[in-house]
């Protein structure tokens, strides 16, 4: 391990810039490169009880891996240590631990290129968009390469919901983003309108635009947070929208067509207008590392060296380094990666919910009209717990006796089936005694496929 002793604090500006460029992955020719921490060396650094401050940046864009590395840090770092972990994910929709994907996500849009039922909402041409369920609570967010995620793990007695959001705001202020502040929901927003003057950059809750513009423009959300508290550790992780090219299509992914028909337990997301900060990922990373170093007492001038790769001791008790896909070779991280990628984790963690095509006792809301091709007499009720169908009533007939027979036939087929494993509702109905005519049955199946069929 390379040691940076106190007597080497005369690092020149050229050296500091060189170290930073190494960590960010750039050579003088502009070709990306970096050197990551070997898995065994990473494990040794993470679990070393003498290392109370750790900084890691991931160069993997795999969201399942990054969240598994984060969970490994939460579980294995010393109880008295504080960790900063920064990572960027490929396009994905990330739901909270206790959320319902059928409520939060347009599942068909995630794999619209493959789906024969998604012609009404074609997928934007951004490639595959993954579905991810994290281990912490909170709401649903969209990640892409224009979004940097920050994670801070610390002892519970040092945790507050605003503490590290304020750290990020100070980092943004240091980049000239004076509009940034923490709001009363612990989100980071950019105030709009004309500056009022007298802005104090040490006040993370007060930007220079506290009331917005004269047109009543609202602040734009750039960062939301989620938390996980255990007996020994506290985790705060958040997003920061920097330069996402997908702002105009994010609402399409986060708008579920099934939501009006579902009454669910669990946590609902709160929608907010969003915007980009307009700074480069590497500049944001550098500024956040600086603020973390300042907050935790790293000697002045050494924060730039914190970005050296693959790993080294900055000074006693401090380590930093770059991680990537190689960390999947650590058994605990590999196990977490497999779990997060599994359909069971994504779907069977869903709290109990009821899907109904019309008002029922549990959900008396007026529902949207069914497609015109679906018979007006159609009734659909599905109850699910942990994504297992526990009760169903599906019928097309206007005749009560026939409708009862139809419902009983389908209920027998659906009993304890996992909702996310139903690939095509036409196949379900072909096994049943639905009597609504071929066109009506096909229309109902296509409607349910559009609302309930999971992404690949």
């Amino acid at each position: 391990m390379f040691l940076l002793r106190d007597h080497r604090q005369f690092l020149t500006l050229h050296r500091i810039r060189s170290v930073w460029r190494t960590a960010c992955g750039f050579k003088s020719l502009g070709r990306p490169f970096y050197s990551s921490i070997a898995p065994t060396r990473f494990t040794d650094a993470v679990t070393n009880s003498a290392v109370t401050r750790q900084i890691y940046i991931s160069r993997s864009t795999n969201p399942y891996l990054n969240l598994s590395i984060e969970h490994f840090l939460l579980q294995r770092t010393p109880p008295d240590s504080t960790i900063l972990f920064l990572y960027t994910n490929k396009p994905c929709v990330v739901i909270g631990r206790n959320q319902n994907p059928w409520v939060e996500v347009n599942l068909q849009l995630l794999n619209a290129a493959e789906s024969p039922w998604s012609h009404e909402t074609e997928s934007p041409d951004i490639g595959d968009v993954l579905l991810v369920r994290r281990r912490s609570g909170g709401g649903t967010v969209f990640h892409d390469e224009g979004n940097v995620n920050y994670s801070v793990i610390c002892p519970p007695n040092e945790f507050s919901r605003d503490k590290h959001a304020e750290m990020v705001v100070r980092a943004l202020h240091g980049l000239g983003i004076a509009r940034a502040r923490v709001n009363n929901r612990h989100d980071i927003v950019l105030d709009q309108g004309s500056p009022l003057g007298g802005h104090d950059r040490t006040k993370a809750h007060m930007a220079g635009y506290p009331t917005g513009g004269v047109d009543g423009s609202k602040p734009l959300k750039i960062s939301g947070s989620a938390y996980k508290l255990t007996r020994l550790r506290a985790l705060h992780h958040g997003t920061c929208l920097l330069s996402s090219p997908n702002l105009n299509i994010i609402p399409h992914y986060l708008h579920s067509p099934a939501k009006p028909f579902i009454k669910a337990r669990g946590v609902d997301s709160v929608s907010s207008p969003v915007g980009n900060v307009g700074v480069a990922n590497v500049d944001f990373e550098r500024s956040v590392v600086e603020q973390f170093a300042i907050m935790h007492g790293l000697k002045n001038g050494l924060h730039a060296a914190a970005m050296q790769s693959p790993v080294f001791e900055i000074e006693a008790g401090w380590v930093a380094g770059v991680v990537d896909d190689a960390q999947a070779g650590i058994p605990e991280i590999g196990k977490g990666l497999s779990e997060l990628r599994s359909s069971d984790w994504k779907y069977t963690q869903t709290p109990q919910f009821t899907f109904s095509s019309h008002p029922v006792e549990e959900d008396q809301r007026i529902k949207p009209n069914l497609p015109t091709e679906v018979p007006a007499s159609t009734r659909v009720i599905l109850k699910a717990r942990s994504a297992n169908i526990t009760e169903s009533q599906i019928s097309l007939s206007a005749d009560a006796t026939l409708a009862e027979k139809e419902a009983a036939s389908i209920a027998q087929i659906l009993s304890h089936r996992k909702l996310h494993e139903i690939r095509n509702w036409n196949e379900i109905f072909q096994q049943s005694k639905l009597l609504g005519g071929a066109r009506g049955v096909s229309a109902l199946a296509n409607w349910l496929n559009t609302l309930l069929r999971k992404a690949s």
Side-chain angles (χ1 to χ4, degrees):
M1 180 177 289
F2 172 67
L3 299 179
L4 182 64
R5 302 298 187 186
D6 290 350
H7 69 269
R8 300 192 64 186
Q9 292 181 30
F10 59 85
L11 286 172
T12 64
L13 180 60
H14 173 77
R15 171 61 176 155
I16 292 174
R17 288 175 177 170
S18 175
V19 168
W20 173 246
R21 288 175 65 81
T22 298
C24 294
F26 294 96
K27 286 184 177 178
S28 58
L29 294 178
R31 296 177 181 176
F33 85 109
Y34 60 84
S35 180
S36 66
I37 312 169
T40 54
R41 204 172 184 186
F42 176 65
T43 301
D44 290 344
V46 166
T47 58
N48 188 341
S49 61
V51 180
T52 58
R53 300 291 183 267
Q54 304 182 30
I55 301 171
Y56 302 106
I57 294 183
S58 175
R59 293 306 175 210
S60 171
T61 58
N62 183 332
Y64 307 117
L65 176 59
N66 284 328
L67 286 173
S68 296
I69 293 172
E70 180 185 77
H71 191 61
F72 181 73
L73 293 171
L74 176 67
Q75 291 188 313
R76 296 298 303 277
T77 48
D80 61 342
S81 65
T82 301
I83 317 300
L84 174 65
F85 179 46
L86 301 175
Y87 57 95
T88 297
N89 289 328
K90 66 180 70 174
C92 58
V93 176
V94 185
I95 64 174
R97 174 69 176 80
N98 300 307
Q99 291 198 293
N100 185 319
W102 289 279
V103 170
E104 299 295 336
V105 187
N106 188 337
L107 295 176
Q108 278 295 296
L109 201 55
L110 296 186
N111 65 333
E114 301 178 6
S115 171
W117 302 292
S118 59
H119 58 278
E120 295 180 356
T121 54
E122 293 299 332
S123 174
D125 187 19
I126 63 172
D128 292 335
V129 177
L130 303 174
L131 176 65
V132 182
R133 184 191 292 274
R134 62 179 179 268
R135 294 184 173 90
S136 61
T140 299
V141 291
F142 186 97
H143 289 179
D144 61 23
E145 289 87 347
N147 173 93
V148 172
N149 303 283
Y150 60 91
S151 175
V152 180
I153 301 166
C154 65
N157 62 356
E158 297 179 11
F159 166 81
S160 76
R161 291 180 182 269
D162 282 341
K163 180 178 181 179
H164 292 104
E166 292 168 353
M167 176 190 75
V168 172
V169 166
R170 289 193 295 272
L172 292 171
H173 289 173
L175 294 171
I177 312 301
R179 297 175 183 268
R181 66 176 170 89
V182 181
N183 69 9
N184 57 7
R185 291 182 54 84
H186 317 292
D187 299 324
I188 301 175
V189 298
L190 291 181
D191 280 316
Q192 304 300 297
S194 301
L196 299 179
H199 176 232
D200 182 353
R201 288 190 176 185
T202 67
K203 304 296 184 182
H205 284 264
M206 183 184 71
Y209 314 76
T211 60
V214 294
D215 60 351
S217 54
K218 295 182 178 179
L220 297 178
K221 181 177 176 178
I222 58 169
S223 176
S225 293
Y227 315 91
K228 183 176 178 65
L229 300 177
T230 69
R231 185 174 61 87
L232 296 176
R233 304 295 271 154
L235 164 69
H236 170 189
H237 54 185
T239 61
C240 197
L241 279 166
L242 301 178
S243 58
S244 171
N246 299 311
L247 290 187
N248 61 322
I249 64 171
I250 289 175
H252 298 297
Y253 284 92
L254 304 187
H255 176 75
S256 167
K259 185 174 182 177
F261 301 95
I262 293 177
K263 179 68 173 180
R265 297 181 181 177
V267 178
D268 287 338
S269 296
V270 178
S271 298
S272 302
V274 298
N276 279 321
V277 175
V279 301
N281 288 17
V282 292
D283 292 332
F284 176 78
E285 290 171 348
R286 171 184 54 78
S287 194
V288 171
V289 168
E290 288 179 359
Q291 290 301 320
F292 179 83
I294 292 169
M295 176 184 288
H296 295 285
L298 183 61
K299 290 183 174 64
N300 186 37
L302 293 184
H303 57 264
M307 307 317 304
Q308 177 72 35
S309 63
V311 66
F312 68 103
E313 182 181 349
I314 307 169
E315 66 171 4
W318 282 80
V319 298
V322 175
V323 297
D324 64 5
D325 293 333
Q327 270 57 47
I330 298 171
E332 290 167 81
I333 293 177
K335 180 180 178 181
L337 171 63
S338 297
E339 180 181 49
L340 292 186
R341 292 179 63 178
S342 70
S343 289
D344 272 358
W345 172 262
K346 295 176 186 177
Y347 294 98
T348 64
Q349 301 299 312
T350 303
Q352 180 177 328
F353 69 96
T354 299
F355 176 97
S356 58
S357 62
H358 56 286
V360 294
E361 183 178 355
E362 301 98 313
D363 183 7
Q364 299 185 14
R365 294 174 299 167
I366 302 299
K367 305 301 173 68
N369 294 329
L370 300 181
T372 55
E373 300 85 358
V374 177
S377 56
T378 297
R379 293 292 182 268
V380 178
I381 302 175
L382 293 169
K383 295 183 180 181
R385 182 190 298 272
S386 302
N388 290 297
I389 299 173
T390 58
E391 183 180 333
S392 70
Q393 296 178 38
I394 300 178
S395 63
L396 290 173
S397 178
D399 180 275
T401 301
L402 292 178
E404 185 175 347
K405 291 181 179 180
E406 291 176 332
S409 172
I410 296 177
Q412 186 174 8
I413 297 168
L414 291 179
S415 178
H416 298 292
R417 288 283 298 270
K418 293 180 178 180
L419 182 59
H420 61 283
E421 292 182 351
I422 297 177
R423 305 299 299 152
N424 188 343
W425 282 88
N426 266 305
E427 296 174 359
I428 298 294
F429 295 155
Q430 286 172 6
Q431 304 171 47
S432 70
K433 298 178 181 179
L434 279 179
L435 305 174
R439 289 186 61 186
V441 172
S442 178
L444 174 59
N446 289 342
W447 179 66
L448 290 176
N449 284 332
T450 300
L451 268 58
L452 300 176
R453 179 178 179 267
K454 80 174 184 69
S456 296

